[in-house]
Amino acid sequence: MNTAIAEKSTAANHPVVSKDRWLARRKALLAREKELTHLRDQIARERRALPWTRVEKNYVFDTPEGPRALADLFEDRRQLLVQHFMLGPDWEQGCPSCSYMSDHLGGMKVHLENRDVTLLVVSRAPLDQIERFRRRMGWQFRWVSAHGSDFNYDFNVSFTPQQWAEGQGEVYYNYNVRPFPAQEAPGISVFYKDDAGEVFHTYSTYERGVEAMMGTYSLLDLTPKGRDEPNPVHAMDWVRHHDRYEPAPAAKPAATAGSCCHASD
């Protein structure tokens, strides 16, 4: 998965100014941040106003409790939020970037449930394969298998070898036909169930849209070094499964900067 814009930190040569000048610049940025907040609120309203499509197909998933239809996975709530997790039938482990997403779910789950949202993770791997990886990672959220179902294909997060061959490596992903390097892809989909038990698809997002589930990025965006992702092709190549990181290196003392590195704004 490659969701971020590559960037390189220039913290070592950053301007240093007086407190008054910093405050003036900060207030100017605050105005821009408020514009973004208001725009984000407007887009959220437009997202909620999108028309829905009725889910006509009877998708059945393999769960630890046995086969379950999509409508059965709402757990007495009206809304279902699905993470499409990249774990194919022949994969030894899940995608590191999807795992990075899932690491954020544990704390969100109870809050989502109290806003009438059930959280669900879906992969195409068989259930026993999913369970092995879930136990390794220590996750407690519900994760089901779409193996043998059209669910992943219909929501454009899995691609058959035939699709690859016919498209010469191009597939329909993120609402466009484009090259894609794998047969599994990340995404988030949302569903609603009405009083009659009918299920509707309300929204799906892909590529950088899945950053909605990556709270770490929101915090990194507040820091001087930001995401610090210099690879323009694979921006997330720094991400590891949380049990595969090397111990974090101790921070090196910053070199004393000469006056030439300090701008007067």
Side-chain angles (χ1 to χ4, degrees), residues 197-216:
E198 286 194 284
V199 175
F200 302 87
H201 174 226
T202 70
Y203 182 73
S204 286
T205 188
Y206 308 95
E207 291 193 293
R208 290 199 68 187
V210 305
E211 289 183 16
M213 204 174 278
M214 299 178 179
T216 299

Side-chain angles (χ1 to χ4, degrees), residues 73-207:
L73 299 175
F74 282 71
E75 298 180 350
D76 298 322
R77 300 182 185 89
R78 291 183 179 271
Q79 301 173 103
L80 180 70
L81 191 150
V82 171
Q83 179 192 356
H84 299 288
F85 190 111
M86 296 169 64
L87 178 56
D90 56 347
W91 293 22
E92 294 184 3
Q93 58 184 357
C95 161
S97 299
C98 289
S99 300
Y100 172 71
M101 290 172 64
S102 293
D103 281 335
H104 294 82
L105 300 184
M108 295 180 181
K109 181 175 179 291
V110 64
H111 301 291
L112 289 169
E113 290 172 349
N114 278 275
R115 300 308 297 164
D116 199 25
V117 178
T118 293
L119 180 66
L120 183 71
V121 179
V122 177
S123 295
R124 201 165 57 87
L127 186 62
D128 59 347
Q129 186 177 338
I130 287 173
E131 284 296 293
R132 282 197 302 272
F133 187 63
R134 187 180 64 81
R135 287 193 297 269
R136 171 188 148 188
M137 302 303 285
W139 292 326
Q140 300 301 313
F141 50 74
R142 194 171 196 192
W143 193 352
V144 303
S145 171
H147 189 66
S149 163
D150 292 334
F151 182 77
N152 274 32
Y153 299 114
D154 290 350
F155 288 92
N156 307 117
V157 290
S158 290
F159 316 106
T160 66
Q162 182 180 359
Q163 285 176 308
W164 263 44
E166 291 177 352
Q168 298 181 328
E170 293 191 339
V171 295
Y172 186 78
Y173 178 62
N174 199 19
Y175 308 105
N176 193 22
V177 176
R178 37 78 62 82
F180 197 81
Q183 289 185 323
E184 307 294 327
I188 299 171
S189 289
V190 185
F191 302 88
Y192 184 88
K193 185 169 70 170
D194 67 11
D195 290 337
E198 286 194 284
V199 175
F200 302 87
H201 174 226
T202 70
Y203 182 73
S204 286
T205 188
Y206 308 95
E207 291 193 293

Side-chain angles (χ1 to χ4, degrees), residues 208-240:
R208 290 199 68 187
V210 305
E211 289 183 16
M213 204 174 278
M214 299 178 179
T216 299
Y217 267 155
S218 296
L219 295 181
L220 286 174
D221 287 343
L222 304 180
T223 68
K225 292 178 66 177
R227 302 186 184 190
D228 204 15
E229 295 178 329
N231 187 335
V233 179
H234 301 291
M236 297 186 74
D237 63 0
W238 64 274
V239 173
R240 304 287 183 270

